[in-house]
Amino acid sequence: MTDSSAEARVTEVANGIYQLHTPVGEGKAAFSFNQYLLIDDAPLLFHTGPRRLFPAVRAAIARVMPVERLRYVAFSHCESDECGSMNELLAAAPQAAPVCGRIAAMIDGDLFDRAPRALDDGEVLELGRRRVRWLDAPHLPHGWECGYLFEESTATLLCGDLFTQPGAVHPALTRDDILEPSEAMRRAMDYYAHGRDAPGLLEKLAATSPRLLACMHGRAYEGDGAALLGGLARALAGAT
């Protein structure tokens, strides 16, 4: 269970991209939740965090900018840590709209108090000086509606549950390997769908040549993101 009294740490992990990092739990139950705030004329938040963490997420956003400036609240697929406090954020930011893929808009859109902005695979959303591109990734790692956003100016792949790392308090950013800790967690509780299209989808993500992998749980990775995605593809191939 997440802790409504938790406090989120705020770190700029790329130019104008802030990681909001909240540790929860202790011991074997220790975990973390990250959201990513992209500052521009139309600011975007990727992931909402679970509903119980809304006070911490709202306070973290307010340390960077007024919450009511939010224009987009995006998510990868429908889970509580992805979009659990969507309606609370929409209430706090009256001009904001949910952003997701077209499948998520079709099957999840009724959960939200405002209609989602649905993006097709490869569609670009202009935030001002920034452009974010939606990439469909069904069942990678889970969820028919799953997809990711790629921010072009910083080559940041907002990669959700890919490379999920256990533990609570993490540095915001690392150049060290994150594949092995994420694989250790997957081996312990395999949350991947292992769909037949996974290799091609990982190749599609790697083709963006990301310099930053913005993970939802644990550390963000700075370096050769394409190589790390290739390593993940090989690890999954060996698991099927």
Side-chain angles (χ1 to χ4, degrees):
M1 180 178 292
T2 54
D3 182 358
S4 60
S5 66
E7 182 175 344
R9 182 192 67 208
V10 179
T11 307
E12 189 173 13
V13 292
N15 183 28
I17 299 180
Y18 293 82
Q19 181 197 81
L20 319 180
H21 174 83
T22 308
V24 298
E26 297 178 349
K28 292 183 178 180
F31 203 48
S32 65
F33 297 93
N34 297 328
Q35 300 80 43
Y36 293 90
L37 178 63
L38 282 61
I39 302 299
D40 209 325
D41 297 336
L44 179 145
L45 183 72
F46 194 66
H47 314 140
T48 71
R51 184 170 57 86
R52 289 179 182 271
L53 288 187
F54 172 67
V57 172
R58 177 173 182 159
I61 295 170
R63 289 167 58 187
V64 181
M65 66 170 215
V67 179
E68 56 269 22
R69 278 200 61 218
L70 271 178
R71 292 298 178 270
Y72 299 112
V73 183
F75 64 97
S76 168
H77 54 281
C78 190
E79 287 186 296
S80 65
D81 53 356
E82 295 271 1
C83 56
S85 61
M86 177 68 76
N87 289 332
E88 286 83 355
L89 281 163
L90 296 180
Q95 298 183 59
V99 171
C100 57
R102 57 187 176 80
I103 299 298
M106 179 179 69
I107 64 177
D108 304 322
D110 191 53
L111 296 173
F112 311 130
D113 291 340
R114 265 171 240 145
R117 170 72 180 272
L119 299 177
D120 289 324
D121 186 33
E123 185 175 350
V124 168
L125 179 64
E126 304 273 356
L127 305 181
R129 289 164 297 185
R130 296 183 190 276
R131 292 160 43 97
V132 292
R133 191 183 343 142
W134 178 263
L135 300 166
D136 281 344
H139 307 295
L140 184 69
H142 43 245
W144 178 35
E145 75 272 36
C146 188
Y148 302 107
L149 282 176
F150 178 72
E151 199 284 312
E152 297 179 345
S153 68
T154 59
T156 295
L157 180 63
L158 298 154
C159 62
D161 283 330
L162 300 181
F163 305 105
T164 289
Q165 304 146 59
V169 180
H170 293 274
L173 193 61
T174 187
R175 287 182 171 271
D176 295 336
D177 176 57
I178 62 171
L179 177 58
E180 178 49 38
S182 69
E183 277 297 284
M185 182 164 178
R186 185 184 64 77
R187 287 192 293 267
M189 46 178 290
D190 194 350
Y191 51 92
Y192 270 70
H194 300 287
R196 63 184 181 184
D197 296 330
L201 292 172
L202 284 165
E203 185 177 346
K204 178 173 78 170
L205 297 178
T208 65
S209 299
R211 297 192 297 270
L212 183 71
L213 297 174
C215 307
M216 185 162 67
H217 307 290
R219 303 160 292 173
Y221 173 80
E222 184 178 37
D224 188 345
L228 209 60
L229 288 160
L232 176 58
R234 290 188 293 275
L236 293 178
T240 54

